[in-house]
Amino acid sequence: MALTATEITRVVAEVAPALIGGWIQKAYQPAARTIVLEIRTPGHTHRLLLSASPAATRIHLVTHPLHNPSAPPAFCQYLRAHLHGARIDDLRQEGRDRIVTLLLTTKSGPQRLIAELTGNTANLLVLDSEQRVLRDLNRTTGMYGKPYQPPVLSAGAGPRERDDRFAAATTAPFGFSAAIESHYAEKESADNTTALRDARASQIRKAIKRQGRRVEAWRSDLAKAEKYKNYARYGELLKANLGTIKKGLESIVVVDYFDEALPQLTIPLDPTKSAQGNMDDYFRKQRKHTTAERELLPRIAQGEAEIDALRRELQSIEQGTWQPAPPQSPVSTPATRPTRSQSSDRPEERRGPFRRFTSSDGLPIFVGRNARENDELTFGLAKSEDLWLHARGTPGSHVVIRLEKGHEPPPETLRDAATLALLYSDLKKSGKGDVIYTRRKWVKKAKGQAPGAVTVTQEKSLHISLDKKRLDALKSRSAQG
């Protein structure tokens, strides 16, 4: 709650004698509607806080440093430029209103800093020697250059007066101000905790939904690959009967020597392919099943464990037992070359087939590391409806976005994947270039060429420049995954 007129009277009476005659050394703006003036007096430095925050308009000294943005906002820059070195000639409350005036002598002559501590209409203003408005916190540009008009405050419009809301420490030199500072520090801490809790709960709910969609997608992929489980058996049976298979056959009946009863087994064939081609198809699909089991089962288990952990954290928030993690101090490390073990821990290059990333929309992106992996990614892991990308006209990695059938890639996911295609190509040095993309089904192996060489049809292109912020976000999500 904002300070009442009586509380403003008390705090001004307490701090004014110590500040009058001092010089403004610097101005800070730790929050959007809060200004702190650093005031130097003989033998002391005081910090005067003026807050125009509607729910907490107030004035008092601060004894603890406040966090400040690295770049000062516009109003703070103005105060630093025009009030630096100003002498405080007077600090007073205007009548019994919630308005406080600092009379200043600046390098440009007499000026005033007005603090209208009036709740929802609160404002901070700088006036010239003729009391014309030069600048204000609310950026009310229509007032600039015009005479200042104090707000009209109706009787009883301010906060209700309360007795002894702040218990002043009698031993402290600024006991009433210190009590106000302590009250609002506790209130802001509680408000910040509530805001952090609500924000975290929202993040968790979104993360549970996002991770749930991933797990369901992985389960769906695994179920689709399950039908290829016995295809190695069919491949072996075709291999034993290659000489009897003629091109154009739609099926063949063979003896299943994997079964002790040696029953006859009918194996479907693609009539457009040779016996060797049909056999290779069965072996390739069986490898697809093996790869899916190897890749997806650990992911599903990890995804479900993460969902369980998120649900436990959400439950602690809902039960009121959750506390935000304490801020961690930055750790300085020497800028030395990473060791071999350190390099291998980087998430975008961790062991296992393919580099793996997660797009800003939560979709998996795979990147081949070399020609062999490019070939395995495109013609082993990728499905026909997945999106395939590659830097145009230059050696580089194959990139695949995992998509559900009939779905289009979200624009940000497309840019994420295209950025990775550019990064892991010979265009990386230039920092920009064209990336082509198409459905995986329109990518074919180049006959007689080395692994990874392909021919592409129905492609589109996208011009990309390497974006450090996007790359950092991709690597961060890769680390979390």
Side-chain angles (χ1 to χ4, degrees), residues 386-427:
D386 289 345
L387 201 71
W388 182 92
L389 304 92
H390 194 279
R392 183 189 290 278
T394 188
S397 294
H398 293 194
V399 177
V400 168
I401 304 173
R402 176 71 84 204
L403 295 175
E404 289 297 313
K405 187 174 182 180
H407 287 207
E408 294 294 327
E412 287 305 305
T413 290
L414 178 59
R415 297 196 71 85
D416 285 344
T419 299
L420 292 171
L422 187 69
L423 176 69
Y424 295 110
S425 77
D426 285 359
L427 294 178

Side-chain angles (χ1 to χ4, degrees), residues 25 79 94 117 166 199 225 242 293 302 323 445:
Q25 291 189 142
L79 296 181
E94 300 297 338
L117 308 177
F166 304 105
L242 282 180
E293 275 199 336
Q302 182 180 353
Q323 289 294 328
K445 282 188 179 183

Side-chain angles (χ1 to χ4, degrees), residues 10 22-23 29 57 76 93 97 128 145 170 200 210 215-216 264 286 293 304 328-329 344 362 396 420 444 468:
R10 287 187 63 184
W23 284 266
Q29 192 167 345
T57 50
C76 184
Q93 182 182 14
D97 286 338
D128 64 12
T170 56
R200 180 57 183 157
R210 183 169 60 248
V215 170
E216 286 303 312
Q264 289 190 329
Q286 195 279 333
E293 275 199 336
E304 290 176 337
Q328 295 185 358
S329 302
S344 64
L420 292 171
K444 307 296 181 184
K468 185 178 184 302

Side-chain angles (χ1 to χ4, degrees), residues 10-281:
R10 287 187 63 184
V11 73
V12 169
E14 182 179 75
V15 305
L19 301 181
I20 293 173
W23 284 266
I24 297 176
Q25 291 189 142
K26 201 165 185 180
Y28 301 93
Q29 192 167 345
R33 302 189 58 76
T34 299
I35 291 293
V36 175
L37 300 177
E38 187 176 280
I39 300 168
R40 182 65 183 173
T41 61
H44 299 281
T45 297
H46 302 288
R47 295 178 180 85
L48 180 67
L49 180 143
L50 302 167
S51 174
S53 177
T57 50
R58 64 194 192 274
I59 176 173
H60 58 82
L61 298 179
V62 290
T63 56
H64 302 289
L66 302 176
H67 173 74
N68 290 287
S70 56
F75 187 65
C76 184
Q77 291 182 29
Y78 181 87
L79 296 181
R80 289 183 180 182
H82 297 275
L83 302 189
H84 178 77
R87 186 180 72 244
I88 299 176
D89 298 321
D90 197 7
L91 170 60
R92 68 193 187 204
Q93 182 182 14
E94 300 297 338
R96 290 286 298 166
D97 286 338
R98 289 171 290 143
I99 300 174
V100 175
T101 300
L102 280 80
L103 277 69
L104 310 172
T105 298
T106 72
K107 56 189 175 185
S108 302
Q111 293 188 4
R112 297 186 181 204
L113 178 60
I114 306 291
E116 297 176 348
L117 308 177
T118 51
N120 291 333
T121 61
N123 198 3
L124 303 177
L125 308 95
V126 180
L127 313 183
D128 64 12
S129 58
E130 299 180 8
Q131 298 198 49
R132 292 174 299 197
V133 179
L134 298 175
R135 191 66 58 94
D136 77 319
L137 179 65
N138 293 345
R139 299 185 182 180
T140 318
T141 55
M143 297 193 307
Y144 295 175
K146 297 179 181 178
Y148 169 65
Q149 298 292 331
V152 179
L153 304 176
S154 59
R160 183 167 58 89
E161 296 289 350
R162 288 179 171 83
D163 295 332
D164 299 326
R165 187 154 68 114
F166 304 105
T170 56
T171 57
F174 305 103
F176 191 68
S177 173
I180 296 174
E181 178 187 16
S182 175
H183 170 83
Y184 283 101
E186 292 177 4
K187 182 179 183 300
E188 289 177 355
S189 176
D191 290 346
N192 288 339
T193 299
T194 300
L196 287 171
R197 184 175 62 242
D198 293 345
R200 180 57 183 157
S202 177
Q203 290 174 350
I204 290 174
R205 291 187 182 99
K206 291 178 181 178
I208 289 174
K209 289 182 180 179
R210 183 169 60 248
Q211 191 71 314
R213 288 195 297 267
R214 290 179 188 168
V215 170
E216 286 303 312
W218 293 333
R219 287 189 177 281
S220 176
D221 289 346
L222 188 61
K224 291 174 183 176
E226 188 67 22
K227 64 183 180 182
Y228 301 141
K229 184 175 182 179
N230 294 319
Y231 275 28
R233 180 180 187 175
Y234 299 157
E236 292 293 345
L237 292 174
L238 291 181
K239 186 176 181 180
N241 293 274
L242 282 180
T244 63
I245 302 173
K246 306 296 183 183
K247 188 174 182 179
L249 291 177
E250 295 185 352
S251 64
I252 184 173
V253 178
V254 298
V255 175
D256 184 3
Y257 54 79
F258 289 98
D259 189 325
E260 292 181 358
L262 299 178
Q264 289 190 329
L265 179 66
T266 300
I267 301 177
L269 300 175
D270 184 342
T272 64
K273 294 183 178 179
S274 65
Q276 182 75 34
N278 276 282
M279 180 190 72
D280 291 342
D281 272 355

Side-chain angles (χ1 to χ4, degrees), residues 300-317:
I300 291 170
Q302 182 180 353
E304 290 176 337
E306 290 176 2
I307 290 173
D308 287 342
L310 290 169
R311 284 176 175 157
R312 287 194 298 271
E313 186 178 357
L314 183 60
Q315 185 179 26
S316 71
I317 291 175

